[in-house]
Amino acid sequence: MANAAILVIGNEILSGRTQDSNVAYLGKELAARGITLAEVRIVRDDPAAIVAALNALRAAYTYVFTSGGIGPTHDDITSAAVARTFGVALERNPEAVRRLQSRYGEGELNAARLKMAEIPAGAQLVDNPISQAPGFRLDNVFVMAGVPSILRAMFEGIRHTLAEGPPQLSRSVTLGVREGDLAEGLTRIQDRHPEVDVGSYPSFTEGRSLVAIVARGTDAARLEQVMAETRALAAELGAAVSEG
Amino acid sequence: MANAAILVIGNEILSGRTQDSNVAYLGKELAARGITLAEVRIVRDDPAAIVAALNALRAAYTYVFTSGGIGPTHDDITSAAVARTFGVALERNPEAVRRLQSRYGEGELNAARLKMAEIPAGAQLVDNPISQAPGFRLDNVFVMAGVPSILRAMFEGIRHTLAEGPPQLSRSVTLGVREGDLAEGLTRIQDRHPEVDVGSYPSFTEGRSLVAIVARGTDAARLEQVMAETRALAAELGAAVSEG
């Protein structure tokens, strides 16, 4: 089965100023296509950190998606770092220039904006229907914008090029119980269904303990079976059950 | 200056089901203490993945904080993976048992809950004032719960043990301008203040382009100077300015 990693590039995520939302979006979209998101790394706007992370991830996973750092300002260094990772030149890409020209008037296409047309040699462009400045693909690495609306639009354009497996499905139920009272019975359910990934996620609201049980896998009937057994366990424990 | 990494452990984050909020919290808290959050990794509930990530991060950074996987259920495998990382035994910790006893009645302290007292040999406990089940510290690695309220309570208890440097401060201003029109002037500002980290973060709302300029560093007067120069640049460009 194909798997994937995400490399998020940006000081603003690590400083806590900006809350990342691209990981959750891509995690769901990849699962729907049958691709497991296996690892995420978030690194600073630092060329050496980007190169090291990219080299590790592209060797380990089917696909790598990067987010962030491909804009026109001085802190946008992703394209240069990707070129360095692959040992290729950063070149002005004529098709990328043409796309920027379609958006910006002659006087507006300044040096900063032309920087967005500097693409590693040999890369294929990824469409950006929102602001035209393209992403790109080089080998198994897809380089995308960090702005969530643009990342999503870019991913829409490339998703059909990715391997497709049986979609990863999930079913969940929330129980009004403490996790430690549920654990033993839940282990038995997991042991009976080794091909299902049974997860247990506690939360505490207004002094009340809740546990969400999530079953993930590719066989819908199996997941329903796990949910039925979880509901039976809840009944045994006298726990309230709510959906989702 | 001390730096840090976070290792988030959990399939639920990678599947997109749960939105992580611990990274943003710790990023802010560490910056306030003068510690730079330099890298984050998110891995699945997989012992080999946890061990590999921990070994890489603990060698590279002053501190490593893990979040997730220390509860009572079958998918909570962090403590065992940390023991394996350090090549030490996982032992029933008498003080951890005592803490669990303070919360749970005799009949309630079942095998699943006692699993939360299995701590790598040589570790120091980290207090959990919310549900008692402790985190722990081994060398430069702090192992904490994934539930945000508990992670925060645990961090409150350990923050005073961390190195303290000049707090990383930030100032920001939002300009009603397109990033590409601003880029050249902003590069000049960054070049004049190399010890300040000047970041540029575009967003698009209702067809309107906004750019948040964030200056980060330890010298408040320098940051104000960068903000003043940014406002002057905005005036030159005829851009609207809003705070924050």
Side-chain angles (χ1 to χ4, degrees):
Chain A
M1 201 170 76
N3 59 17
I6 300 173
L7 177 62
V8 177
I9 297 154
N11 296 356
E12 75 277 19
I13 306 289
L14 292 164
S15 73
R17 180 185 177 275
T18 301
Q19 170 74 56
D20 166 79
S21 63
N22 292 331
V23 168
Y25 167 79
L26 287 173
K28 277 183 200 158
E29 293 292 322
L30 291 167
R33 214 173 164 88
I35 299 168
T36 300
L37 178 57
E39 182 171 349
V40 172
R41 296 193 190 183
I42 311 176
V43 297
R44 294 175 65 76
D45 300 328
D46 169 54
I50 299 170
V51 170
L54 261 185
N55 274 327
L57 296 175
R58 73 192 179 102
Y61 301 106
T62 315
Y63 302 112
V64 181
F65 301 90
T66 79
S67 106
I70 61 168
T73 52
H74 64 276
D75 55 344
D76 290 305
I77 59 170
T78 298
S79 299
V82 174
R84 202 170 119 189
T85 303
F86 284 91
V88 300
L90 198 63
E91 299 178 341
R92 184 153 300 174
N93 183 294
E95 170 61 14
V97 174
R98 201 191 59 70
R99 293 185 188 189
L100 291 171
Q101 281 168 338
S102 77
R103 177 175 163 90
Y104 298 105
E106 196 55 50
E108 289 186 333
L109 196 49
N110 57 19
R113 292 198 169 102
L114 278 169
K115 182 163 98 92
M116 296 192 287
E118 301 282 330
I119 306 285
Q124 298 161 258
L125 300 186
V126 167
D127 295 344
N128 172 353
I130 294 184
S131 62
Q132 299 309 320
F136 56 87
R137 173 188 188 156
L138 202 53
D139 195 8
N140 62 338
V141 176
F142 293 84
V143 175
M144 301 194 290
V147 175
S149 58
I150 300 181
L151 179 130
R152 289 166 195 218
M154 285 181 168
F155 187 76
E156 286 298 316
I158 58 172
R159 58 189 302 157
H160 69 279
T161 69
L162 305 176
E164 194 163 18
Q168 287 284 317
L169 307 172
S170 77
R171 298 285 183 275
S172 66
V173 64
T174 299
L175 311 183
V177 66
R178 295 179 305 176
E179 208 182 15
D181 290 324
L182 181 82
E184 203 191 326
L186 197 66
T187 300
R188 286 196 301 269
I189 295 175
Q190 174 69 86
D191 289 347
R192 278 197 294 272
H193 303 282
E195 76 292 6
V196 176
D197 174 21
V198 181
S200 165
Y201 309 114
S203 59
F204 308 94
T205 327
E206 295 165 9
R208 195 171 157 234
S209 290
L210 295 173
V211 184
I213 304 301
V214 180
R216 285 192 205 85
T218 56
D219 182 337
R222 276 282 188 175
L223 300 187
E224 295 300 350
Q225 179 62 25
V226 167
M227 287 292 105
E229 292 177 20
T230 302
R231 284 194 188 85
L233 174 61
E236 241 175 73
L237 297 168
V241 175
S242 55
E243 295 309 303
Chain B
M1 199 170 78
N3 59 17
I6 300 173
L7 178 61
V8 178
I9 297 155
N11 296 355
E12 75 279 19
I13 307 289
L14 292 164
S15 73
R17 179 185 178 276
T18 302
Q19 170 75 55
D20 165 79
S21 63
N22 292 331
V23 168
Y25 167 78
L26 288 172
K28 276 183 202 158
E29 293 293 322
L30 291 167
R33 218 176 158 84
I35 300 169
T36 300
L37 177 57
E39 182 171 349
V40 172
R41 297 193 190 182
I42 312 175
V43 298
R44 295 176 65 76
D45 300 327
D46 170 54
I50 298 170
V51 171
L54 261 185
N55 274 326
L57 296 175
R58 73 193 180 101
Y61 301 105
T62 315
Y63 302 113
V64 180
F65 301 91
T66 79
S67 108
I70 62 168
T73 52
H74 65 277
D75 55 344
D76 291 305
I77 59 170
T78 298
S79 300
V82 173
R84 202 170 119 189
T85 302
F86 283 90
V88 299
L90 198 64
E91 298 178 342
R92 185 153 300 175
N93 183 296
E95 168 61 15
V97 172
R98 201 192 57 71
R99 293 186 189 188
L100 291 170
Q101 280 168 339
S102 77
R103 178 176 163 92
Y104 298 104
E106 195 55 51
E108 289 186 333
L109 196 47
N110 57 20
R113 291 198 170 101
L114 278 168
K115 181 163 98 91
M116 297 191 287
E118 300 282 330
I119 305 285
Q124 299 160 256
L125 299 187
V126 168
D127 295 345
N128 172 354
I130 294 186
S131 62
Q132 299 309 321
F136 56 87
R137 174 187 186 156
L138 202 52
D139 195 9
N140 63 338
V141 176
F142 292 86
V143 175
M144 301 194 289
V147 175
S149 58
I150 300 181
L151 179 129
R152 289 167 194 217
M154 285 181 168
F155 187 77
E156 286 298 316
I158 57 173
R159 57 189 303 157
H160 70 281
T161 70
L162 305 177
E164 193 163 20
Q168 287 285 315
L169 308 172
S170 76
R171 298 287 182 274
S172 66
V173 64
T174 299
L175 311 182
V177 65
R178 296 179 305 176
E179 208 182 16
D181 290 323
L182 181 82
E184 204 191 323
L186 197 67
T187 300
R188 285 198 301 268
I189 295 175
Q190 174 69 86
D191 289 347
R192 278 197 294 273
H193 304 282
E195 75 292 5
V196 176
D197 174 22
V198 181
S200 165
Y201 308 114
S203 60
F204 307 94
T205 328
E206 296 166 7
R208 195 170 158 236
S209 290
L210 295 173
V211 183
I213 305 301
V214 180
R216 285 192 206 86
T218 55
D219 181 337
R222 276 283 189 174
L223 300 185
E224 296 300 350
Q225 179 62 25
V226 166
M227 287 291 106
E229 292 177 19
T230 302
R231 285 193 187 87
L233 174 61
E236 239 176 74
L237 297 167
V241 174
S242 55
E243 294 310 302

